[in-house]
Amino acid sequence: MPTVAMIGGGQLARMTHQAAIALGQRLRVLAASADEPAALVTPDVVLGSHDDLDDLRRVAAGAVAVTFDHEGVPTDLLHALVAEGVNVLPPPEALIHAQDKSVMRRRLSEMGLPVPDFVDLDGPDAEATLRDFFARHDGRVVLKAIRGGYDGRGVWMPDDLDDAVAVLTRSVADGTPLLAEARVAMRRELSAMVARSPFGQGAVWPVVETVQRNGQCAVVIAPAPDLSDELATQAQTIALRLANELGVVGVMAVELFETQDGHLSINELAMRPHNSGHWSMDGAVTGQFEQHLRAVLDYPLGDTRARAEVTVMANILGADSAPEMSMDERCHHLMARMPDARVHLYAKGERPERKIGHVNIVGAPGDDVAAVRERAERAAHWMSTAVWTDGWDEHGRE
Amino acid sequence: MPTVAMIGGGQLARMTHQAAIALGQRLRVLAASADEPAALVTPDVVLGSHDDLDDLRRVAAGAVAVTFDHEGVPTDLLHALVAEGVNVLPPPEALIHAQDKSVMRRRLSEMGLPVPDFVDLDGPDAEATLRDFFARHDGRVVLKAIRGGYDGRGVWMPDDLDDAVAVLTRSVADGTPLLAEARVAMRRELSAMVARSPFGQGAVWPVVETVQRNGQCAVVIAPAPDLSDELATQAQTIALRLANELGVVGVMAVELFETQDGHLSINELAMRPHNSGHWSMDGAVTGQFEQHLRAVLDYPLGDTRARAEVTVMANILGADSAPEMSMDERCHHLMARMPDARVHLYAKGERPERKIGHVNIVGAPGDDVAAVRERAERAAHWMSTAVWTDGWDEHGRE
């Protein structure tokens, strides 16, 4: 059976290996160190760096495809691999839209897709451009690093013009190019996950609602509650069209805003398994990790139907101070209280706000969405902090 | 997080590793060679033999528990490990009932559980005992190796007394002790899977129907269609009682006959994840591999409810002559035809009748059991032989 190589040894690669096992395969990973989440669980590990061409060549050797658990590989190295005959998926021409927000914004605008007004802040006129854009949008502006931002890093919400100029000045000094976007008056955030194979088959999962805290995904509700059929179809159509026109291979998350006036606005693209797709591991017929493999292997895609009326995913984050109770013991108490909780742990050290696992709660028929969400969030909070949000005493002491 | 060690590197260990990944762990396996199914997918492999005490010690070192993917470890070695402080689960005193059919039969009889009439065929009077037993049961007798039989090996259905005596003579010459059992006039075969933790918690899955071909499990229908509530509860009660009274830790399959007159008769015990539990990977809230880990870790057990009205598992067996079409290409065509099929491949060489994978089809609400079974069997037959049983042309040629 074929071998797929994944650049990056994080939790996305770890869970992709889990899916590879069922397909009679194993995942090869390029990991920075032997204790990364994926390197701990697959024997096929190449230790090296994602920005070293020789390391990339080593992990690609003999693999039918090279794919990614992050968007950090420099574009020139990807082109070099392709020139040497490596099957890089998604291809660099597609991946650039998930790496470079300026390229993405321009392309989506040209396609006539709903994006906020934006402007690149580069060159000697950058500050003048920012001042003008800021005035034009009554200060409702967000600044973003064009490359490299994720999970709230590389995104700034300036309080006023002075603050905005200060962010720009710092980033010019750091050599981090920025763009400015108009802030969207949003009702909530959505994600439309799609997969596409080289053959051209596309498949979308139900559109989900994502809840962000401190700039990163905290909770996902699948499918998005009370989303109109019209907006759901619109979001899925955007995802399928983008996957096709950009030439994506693998899974892609299209992160969207549902605006207060009932429209969609595209926020970000991610061309890899994505936090907003973790619910699918337990809540869909085919999970995103298997689907990503199927796509890069050019297998026919799997059925993306939801298996329940509602599934809620909540991230387990490292607490501000790691609890004294071990993760093992926390797991014990969670299982005692919620025998149906689906726990996914990444074997990562606990640092504040770091994603170290997630919990899926799959609702039973007729379950109330809010109740399922409450259980998922309670479970994740417990696993983070060893504190039950409702005061439950896990030892039943009086 | 704790490390569990499993003796044996087969598909059961492979799928247990998949489950371990979600729990933030990885499975350590004792494998005979580096190309065994589990050794291919976990980095924590000890190469060695399950009947070498030093190898057993090496795999046990630092693990919180040692458990099994087969019942082949000699009892004296397990007792030696226990004497050295190793946490062997299930304990040898329980495991013996899955290793030695004579011990099992006697114990179950003493417990008053429904078992067929049986007799040990040992000592100088073995042939006389067999002749007597054969006459008493009008020739409706089955002969079984007391130790080491599985998947149809070590079981004989003699046509007549001469045949039975010939089997006995051969086995005496081989040094393989036998017992004789009365054949049960059965309607069908069932399996009641149960898990038990050291804490004493027990949990049963829905009782399933198993379909055997050539002495090994071919198809499992979960839950068993048209099984009366009374028999289902009886089977589950037997499984829970056995798990408790034998001191089982981990999962156990209680293989049963449903007799033509509507009773149960216990056939075999297996104290490990079992073929009759593979459906649970996709069809139950908690699958048997995660449950086995939860039990040996003394975690609270997971919810065993079925997630669908019907799930059917069909084994993929090596064909009489391996098809020219590669497994990779067969997988491709299966996915094209059945996007909802859940495929589990073991990365084993294809030899006739060898279990090399399985397919689960999870029915949608209202699906007909026979139709779901037909799809599962068709999928598995295709994966075995590259032939569709209904003449489907995968390339759509006219």
Side-chain angles (χ1 to χ4, degrees), chain A residues 12 15 69 71 151 190-193 208 210 212 217 220 251-255 268-280 288-289 292 313 355:
Chain A
L12 302 178
M15 293 184 275
D69 105 326
E71 284 106 354
D151 279 356
L190 304 171
S191 174
M193 288 278 308
V208 301
T210 65
Q212 317 285 319
C217 178
V220 172
V251 299
M252 172 171 67
V254 181
E255 297 182 78
E268 306 287 353
L269 303 181
M271 287 186 202
R272 50 170 171 76
H274 187 256
N275 202 159
S276 68
H278 289 354
W279 71 276
S280 65
Q288 67 167 345
F289 298 99
H292 187 70
M313 187 284 324
K355 292 174 182 171

Coordinates of all heavy atoms in Angstrom, one line a residue, chain A residues 12 15 69 71 151 190-193 208 210 212 217 220 251-255 268-280 288-289 292 313 355:
Chain A
L12 N -2.3 17.2 14.0 CA -3.0 16.9 12.8 C -2.3 15.6 12.1 O -3.0 14.8 11.6 CB -3.0 18.1 11.9 CG -3.7 19.3 12.5 CD1 -3.6 20.5 11.5 CD2 -5.1 19.1 12.9
M15 N -3.3 12.5 14.2 CA -4.6 11.9 13.9 C -4.7 11.4 12.5 O -5.5 10.5 12.2 CB -5.7 13.0 14.2 CG -5.7 13.2 15.8 SD -7.0 14.4 16.3 CE -6.2 16.0 16.1
D69 N 0.8 19.3 7.7 CA 0.0 19.5 8.9 C 0.0 21.0 9.3 O -0.6 21.4 10.3 CB 0.3 18.5 10.0 CG 1.1 19.0 11.1 OD1 1.9 19.9 11.0 OD2 0.8 18.5 12.3
E71 N 1.0 25.3 7.4 CA 1.2 26.0 6.1 C 2.6 26.7 6.1 O 2.8 27.6 5.3 CB 0.1 27.0 5.9 CG -1.2 26.4 5.4 CD -2.3 26.4 6.5 OE1 -2.0 26.7 7.6 OE2 -3.4 26.0 6.2
D151 N -4.1 30.9 14.9 CA -4.5 30.8 16.3 C -4.4 32.2 17.1 O -3.9 32.2 18.2 CB -3.8 29.7 17.1 CG -4.3 28.4 16.8 OD1 -5.4 28.3 16.1 OD2 -3.8 27.4 17.3
L190 N -18.5 30.8 11.0 CA -18.8 29.5 10.4 C -17.6 28.9 9.8 O -16.6 29.6 9.5 CB -19.9 29.6 9.4 CG -21.2 30.3 9.8 CD1 -22.1 30.6 8.5 CD2 -22.0 29.5 10.8
S191 N -17.6 27.6 9.5 CA -16.6 27.0 8.7 C -17.2 26.0 7.7 O -18.1 25.2 8.2 CB -15.6 26.3 9.6 OG -14.6 25.5 8.8
A192 N -16.8 26.0 6.5 CA -17.2 25.1 5.5 C -16.0 24.2 5.1 O -15.1 24.8 4.5 CB -17.8 25.8 4.3
M193 N -16.0 23.0 5.5 CA -14.9 22.1 5.2 C -15.2 21.3 3.9 O -16.3 20.8 3.7 CB -14.7 21.0 6.3 CG -14.1 21.6 7.6 SD -12.3 21.8 7.6 CE -11.7 20.2 7.1
V208 N -20.4 24.2 9.8 CA -20.4 24.2 11.3 C -20.3 25.6 11.8 O -19.8 26.5 11.1 CB -19.3 23.3 11.8 CG1 -19.4 21.9 11.4 CG2 -17.9 23.9 11.5
T210 N -18.3 27.9 14.5 CA -17.1 27.9 15.3 C -17.1 29.0 16.3 O -17.6 30.1 16.0 CB -15.8 28.0 14.5 OG1 -15.7 29.3 13.9 CG2 -15.8 26.9 13.4
Q212 N -14.8 31.2 18.8 CA -13.4 31.6 19.0 C -13.3 32.2 20.4 O -14.1 33.0 20.8 CB -12.9 32.6 18.0 CG -13.3 32.3 16.5 CD -12.6 31.1 15.9 OE1 -11.4 31.0 16.1 NE2 -13.3 30.3 15.2
C217 N -9.9 28.9 17.9 CA -11.1 28.1 18.0 C -11.2 27.4 19.3 O -10.3 26.8 19.8 CB -11.0 27.0 16.9 SG -12.4 25.9 16.8
V220 N -16.8 23.9 18.4 CA -17.4 23.8 17.1 C -18.7 23.0 17.3 O -18.8 22.0 18.0 CB -16.5 23.0 16.2 CG1 -17.2 22.6 14.8 CG2 -15.2 23.8 15.9
V251 N -8.0 18.3 2.2 CA -9.2 19.0 2.8 C -8.8 20.5 2.9 O -7.6 20.9 3.0 CB -9.6 18.4 4.1 CG1 -10.1 17.0 4.0 CG2 -8.5 18.5 5.2
M252 N -9.8 21.3 2.9 CA -9.7 22.7 3.1 C -10.8 23.2 4.0 O -11.9 22.9 3.8 CB -9.7 23.5 1.8 CG -9.7 25.0 1.9 SD -9.5 25.9 0.3 CE -11.0 25.5 -0.5
A253 N -10.4 24.1 4.9 CA -11.4 24.8 5.7 C -11.6 26.2 5.2 O -10.6 26.9 5.0 CB -11.0 24.9 7.2
V254 N -12.8 26.6 4.9 CA -13.1 27.9 4.5 C -13.8 28.6 5.7 O -15.0 28.2 6.1 CB -14.1 28.0 3.3 CG1 -14.4 29.4 2.9 CG2 -13.5 27.2 2.1
E255 N -13.1 29.4 6.4 CA -13.6 30.1 7.6 C -14.4 31.3 7.2 O -13.9 32.2 6.4 CB -12.5 30.4 8.6 CG -11.8 29.2 9.1 CD -10.7 29.6 10.1 OE1 -11.0 29.9 11.2 OE2 -9.5 29.6 9.7
E268 N -10.8 33.3 6.3 CA -9.5 32.6 6.1 C -9.7 31.3 5.4 O -10.7 30.7 5.4 CB -8.8 32.3 7.5 CG -8.6 33.4 8.4 CD -7.6 34.4 8.0 OE1 -6.8 34.1 7.1 OE2 -7.5 35.4 8.7
L269 N -8.6 30.8 4.8 CA -8.5 29.5 4.2 C -7.4 28.7 4.9 O -6.4 29.2 5.2 CB -8.2 29.5 2.7 CG -9.0 30.4 1.8 CD1 -8.5 30.2 0.4 CD2 -10.5 29.9 1.9
A270 N -7.7 27.4 5.2 CA -6.6 26.5 5.7 C -6.7 25.2 4.8 O -7.7 24.6 4.7 CB -6.9 26.1 7.1
M271 N -5.5 24.9 4.2 CA -5.5 23.7 3.3 C -4.8 22.5 4.0 O -3.7 22.1 3.6 CB -4.8 24.1 2.0 CG -5.6 25.0 1.2 SD -4.9 25.3 -0.4 CE -5.7 26.8 -0.9
R272 N -5.6 22.0 4.9 CA -5.1 20.8 5.7 C -6.2 20.5 6.6 O -7.2 21.2 6.7 CB -3.9 21.2 6.5 CG -4.1 22.5 7.3 CD -3.1 22.9 8.3 NE -3.3 24.2 8.8 CZ -4.2 24.5 9.7 NH1 -5.0 23.6 10.2 NH2 -4.3 25.8 10.1
P273 N -6.2 19.3 7.3 CA -7.2 19.0 8.3 C -7.2 20.2 9.3 O -6.1 20.9 9.5 CB -6.6 17.8 9.0 CG -5.8 17.1 7.9 CD -5.2 18.2 7.2
H274 N -8.3 20.5 9.8 CA -8.5 21.8 10.6 C -9.3 21.6 11.8 O -10.1 20.7 11.9 CB -9.2 22.8 9.6 CG -9.3 24.2 10.1 ND1 -10.4 24.7 10.6 CD2 -8.4 25.2 10.2 CE1 -10.2 26.0 11.0 NE2 -9.0 26.3 10.8
N275 N -9.0 22.4 12.8 CA -9.7 22.3 14.1 C -11.2 22.3 13.9 O -11.9 21.6 14.6 CB -9.3 23.5 14.9 CG -9.5 23.3 16.4 OD1 -8.8 24.0 17.2 ND2 -10.3 22.4 16.9
S276 N -11.7 23.0 12.9 CA -13.2 23.1 12.7 C -13.7 21.7 12.1 O -14.9 21.6 12.0 CB -13.6 24.2 11.9 OG -13.1 24.1 10.5
G277 N -12.8 20.8 11.8 CA -13.3 19.5 11.3 C -13.1 18.4 12.3 O -13.4 17.2 12.0
H278 N -12.6 18.7 13.5 CA -12.4 17.6 14.5 C -13.6 16.8 14.8 O -13.6 15.7 15.2 CB -11.7 18.1 15.7 CG -10.3 18.5 15.6 ND1 -9.6 18.3 14.4 CD2 -9.4 19.1 16.4 CE1 -8.3 18.8 14.5 NE2 -8.2 19.3 15.7
W279 N -14.8 17.5 14.8 CA -16.0 16.9 15.2 C -16.3 15.7 14.3 O -16.9 14.7 14.7 CB -17.2 17.9 15.0 CG -17.5 18.2 13.6 CD1 -16.8 19.2 12.8 CD2 -18.4 17.6 12.7 NE1 -17.3 19.1 11.5 CE2 -18.3 18.2 11.4 CE3 -19.4 16.6 12.9 CZ2 -19.1 17.8 10.3 CZ3 -20.1 16.2 11.8 CH2 -20.0 16.8 10.5
S280 N -15.8 15.7 13.0 CA -16.1 14.7 12.0 C -15.5 13.4 12.4 O -16.0 12.3 11.9 CB -15.6 15.2 10.6 OG -14.2 15.3 10.6
Q288 N -12.4 13.9 8.8 CA -11.5 14.7 7.9 C -10.1 14.1 7.7 O -9.5 14.3 6.7 CB -11.4 16.1 8.5 CG -10.6 16.2 9.8 CD -10.2 17.7 10.2 OE1 -10.3 18.6 9.3 NE2 -9.8 17.9 11.4
F289 N -9.6 13.3 8.7 CA -8.3 12.8 8.5 C -8.2 11.7 7.5 O -7.4 11.7 6.6 CB -7.7 12.4 9.8 CG -7.6 13.5 10.8 CD1 -8.6 13.7 11.8 CD2 -6.6 14.4 10.7 CE1 -8.5 14.8 12.7 CE2 -6.5 15.5 11.6 CZ -7.5 15.7 12.6
H292 N -8.7 13.4 4.1 CA -7.5 14.1 3.6 C -6.6 13.0 2.9 O -6.1 13.3 1.8 CB -6.8 14.8 4.7 CG -5.6 15.6 4.2 ND1 -5.8 16.8 3.5 CD2 -4.3 15.4 4.3 CE1 -4.6 17.3 3.2 NE2 -3.7 16.5 3.7
M313 N -17.7 19.8 19.4 CA -16.3 19.6 19.7 C -15.8 20.7 20.6 O -16.2 21.9 20.4 CB -15.5 19.6 18.4 CG -14.0 19.3 18.5 SD -12.8 20.4 19.0 CE -13.3 22.0 18.5
K355 N -3.3 24.1 22.5 CA -4.3 23.0 22.2 C -3.6 21.7 22.5 O -2.7 21.2 21.8 CB -4.7 23.0 20.7 CG -5.5 24.3 20.4 CD -5.8 24.3 18.8 CE -6.6 25.5 18.4 NZ -6.6 25.7 17.0

